[in-house]
Amino acid sequence: MFERFTKDARDVVKGAFAYADGGGGGRCVEPEHLLLALLDREGSRGSFALSALGLGERRESVREALRQARRRAGLSRAEADALSGLGIDVAEIVARVEEVHGVGAMAGDTQDKRWWSGRPTFGRAAKGVLEHSLRVALARRDRHIGDEHLLLALTARPGVPAEVLADHGVTYESLTRVLYGGGEAKAG
């Protein structure tokens, strides 16, 4: 599949590895890392689409929303709301854990990474995004997978990246309009 990736899409994957290996923490590349790497892009179809939808000036707001989701152990707002319906206050749990273990304790970041000597791998959800980007490209009859396909896949799959992007006015449908000039049903 990676042989179909454009340079821009490969750069997004490399950037996601850098986020997972560096400041983003963790042993796996997750969809959030892919989104962070997409936010860093300039001069690509994906970055054009994000700018056209007004996200260019609000990238830091997206990054902050992703940081807040990491503090909630990666739970989306919808998941936190569902737990609230069961009487579980996620904000209270986060506050108590952070009181004892420090801010960001539920993010899964390890302070001492000496035990981990390998490179991050793709997590299950990130693999799903990559596979979905292939389905999006095939549905569009594109012969390549670009960063725009990765972006479309992130918005089409439930989870924190899709929720954060939708909160900022970026949905599968709005991206399709900007990229292809019309609204289509989701691929896959």
Side-chain angles (χ1 to χ4, degrees):
M1 175 168 71
F2 287 111
E3 65 276 359
R4 290 183 179 215
F5 275 47
T6 63
K7 180 184 180 323
D8 288 325
R10 286 186 179 130
D11 287 346
V12 168
V13 172
K14 287 177 192 173
F17 271 103
Y19 274 108
D21 204 20
R27 296 187 307 187
C28 290
V29 171
E30 298 297 343
E32 293 81 0
H33 298 126
L34 291 166
L35 177 53
L36 287 168
L38 276 161
L39 292 173
D40 291 343
R41 304 289 306 143
E42 291 182 14
S44 68
R45 288 198 58 168
S47 66
F48 161 77
L50 290 173
S51 292
L53 292 169
L55 200 65
E57 314 81 53
R58 298 179 303 160
R59 290 175 187 214
E60 191 51 42
S61 174
V62 172
R63 287 184 177 96
E64 179 57 29
L66 291 172
R67 278 191 286 274
Q68 291 304 315
R70 278 187 65 74
R71 282 186 68 203
R72 294 188 308 267
L75 292 174
S76 69
R77 247 189 356 269
E79 291 166 329
D81 290 346
L83 288 171
S84 178
L86 297 172
I88 300 170
D89 185 351
V90 173
E92 179 64 25
I93 292 170
V94 170
R96 286 191 180 188
V97 169
E98 288 183 345
E99 184 178 296
V100 173
H101 299 285
V103 174
M106 291 183 61
D109 298 335
T110 56
Q111 298 299 325
D112 184 8
K113 292 187 182 181
R114 287 180 290 174
W115 64 273
W116 176 250
S117 61
R119 261 185 80 72
T121 59
F122 288 108
R124 181 179 300 162
K127 286 179 187 177
V129 170
L130 296 176
E131 291 166 2
H132 198 91
S133 70
L134 172 63
R135 285 196 290 278
V136 169
L138 291 173
R140 301 264 356 133
R141 298 193 175 155
D142 290 333
R143 295 179 176 263
H144 67 279
I145 300 170
D147 68 338
E148 71 274 17
H149 299 110
L150 292 170
L151 185 55
L152 284 163
L154 282 170
T155 60
R157 296 178 57 84
V160 170
E163 180 180 90
V164 168
L165 286 169
D167 288 347
H168 288 81
V170 179
T171 63
Y172 187 92
E173 292 75 18
S174 66
L175 281 169
T176 301
R177 279 192 304 276
V178 167
L179 289 167
Y180 303 107
E184 290 187 7
K186 291 183 183 177

